[in-house]
Amino acid sequence: MAALSGLLPGWLRGYRRQWLAGDLTAGVVVTLLLIPQSLAYALLAGLPAQAGLYASIVPLLVYACVGRGYAQSVGPMALTSLLTAATLSRFAEAGSSDYLALALWLAILSGLILLIMGMARLGFIADLLSEPVLAAFTTATALLIVLSQLGPLSGLHLPGNALPHYLLALWEQAAAWQASSLWLGLAVLGLLLVSRRWGAAALQRLGIAAPVASVLLRAIPVLAMLAGTLLPPAWQVPVVGPIPSGFPSPVLPLIPLSQLADLAMPAFFIALINYVQGLSVAQLLAARRQESVDPDRELLALGLCNIAAGLAGGFPVTGGLSRSVVNADAGANSPLASLVTAAAMLLLIFLATAPLALLPLPILAATIIASLLSMLNLASLRRAWLAERADAVAWLLTFCLVLLLGVDSGIMAGVLVSLATLLWRSSRPHIAVLGRVPGTHHFRNCLRHAVESLPGVLMLRVDESLYFGNARQVRQVLLSRVRQEGGVRQVVLVMSAVNRVDTTALSMLEGLDQALQQAGVELHLAEVKGPVADILLRAGLADCFAGRVHLSTQAAWEHLAGPVDYQI
């Protein structure tokens, strides 16, 4: 019995009875949210609607067993769906059997990549995307998804995955808009937006308790779907179409190795985006309970969830922000809430797929648009502009590239922009001229503080590690400062902010020392950190700077100032 108990997830072994009511309520509420989302996101990915149902069930079960987030809801997401469509549209026609086979393999490959990253403890790889770049990518992608849904909202077919494609298709099909589809979609969209903005307050004014009001608001998209299935055929609104009943047997269709190779890089970027999003959701929820998140454990959990989604006939999945927050707000205390949601979805696909076949596509498009409007976050651009202009430029560049090239190329552009921004900043480090605050041992930037200096001594602090990307720039700035000051006989390079040096930087320091000596200037080093000192020693530069390496800036000051004359 003890051995069997050890196989159970930790949350289940320590489950408390008082958690049950909250978990059951949260499971039902998330189900109401997940039903329209799962169908809509499958269609957005270019897949049959049932693929969204399959991808919404198995990952919930897997994460409940191996994940650590108490309210994390893993399943299809709008961003992942658009990435899937953008990737697979290059290799097969949407909705075809080849397209579906590639979707399964895309989920499995991204899951394997996440799994390998987790076993190799590569959780830090999420840092490849800076916050401004990720915000720009998310905003541009949300805008693309909204534009893509103008097609089903108005009865049109909008091919492509970038802004020029959508605009061209809208122009070419301007005369083919279906009034019935458009009015239905706009009416449901207006209902969803109004209920989201004022629904809770209106229900509470009617005397409905807040928990009940929350459930009613979450049920509005489902109620709109049910109402849509009752529309008269005369409306001629496009519908989802037949959805097979039951759960499919795990099948893994064989595809050529060349196609697997083609999917490898897109699968990596989808895995990266899914991990960044899933980790951010897990951290947000953990912070509410003052808990911590293990990034490597999240990698493993999301990897297994994606592999399971692929084997179950789904497509790539991740932790959904809206669903997870709703799960937590509805009272989820443990992953049992996700198990309740999975059980409810299973009942749906076994007992109620027939009504779903009559669901109008404009209603699904309205639910996607309503859920994504909150992701159009231009405030992040304003914040970046006020804080750091380089981040703002990176934001704008990523935003434009995603809109113009599509999300698949936009991911690669986002990573490159993040790395390019990092290299640009570090290649132009801040170099401050230091002086001593009178009466203290503190040294500060002479442009910001009233400080004193020694005649013929120039103290410079480099606020960056030294490496091949900035070695030449640092050398030029230092020599230029010496020429500008005039009369400099001693230069102290304060290395308190230098955490690393590479071979190029070592050569730069050696050449700089020789150049200054030829000009009659002596170079000193101060506050050299231990790891950097070890590198200088191994490279033989410690002997070159013998007697000119000082423990602190104050020690360098006292050494260059000479002995104090205490005679009266």
Side-chain angles (χ1 to χ4, degrees), residues 198-220 223:
W198 294 288
L203 292 175
Q204 290 179 16
R205 278 198 297 268
L206 294 175
I208 300 176
V212 178
S214 176
V215 174
L216 291 176
L217 290 175
R218 304 302 175 191
I220 287 178
L223 295 176

Side-chain angles (χ1 to χ4, degrees), residues 205-280:
R205 278 198 297 268
L206 294 175
I208 300 176
V212 178
S214 176
V215 174
L216 291 176
L217 290 175
R218 304 302 175 191
I220 287 178
V222 177
L223 295 176
M225 288 170 48
L226 293 176
T229 60
L230 302 177
L231 291 175
W235 278 51
Q236 296 183 345
V237 176
V239 297
V240 170
I243 298 178
S245 178
F247 203 83
S249 301
V251 176
L252 189 60
L254 298 178
I255 64 174
L257 289 177
S258 59
Q259 287 189 325
L260 278 179
D262 292 335
L263 292 178
M265 188 56 68
F268 169 75
F269 285 113
I270 289 176
L272 177 63
I273 292 297
N274 283 349
Y275 169 56
V276 171
Q277 181 168 329
L279 180 63
S280 63

Side-chain angles (χ1 to χ4, degrees), residues 114-132:
L114 288 168
L115 203 60
I116 294 171
M117 288 166 56
M119 291 187 292
R121 307 189 68 81
L122 297 178
F124 66 88
I125 203 168
D127 299 331
L128 283 176
L129 287 172
S130 66
E131 183 177 345

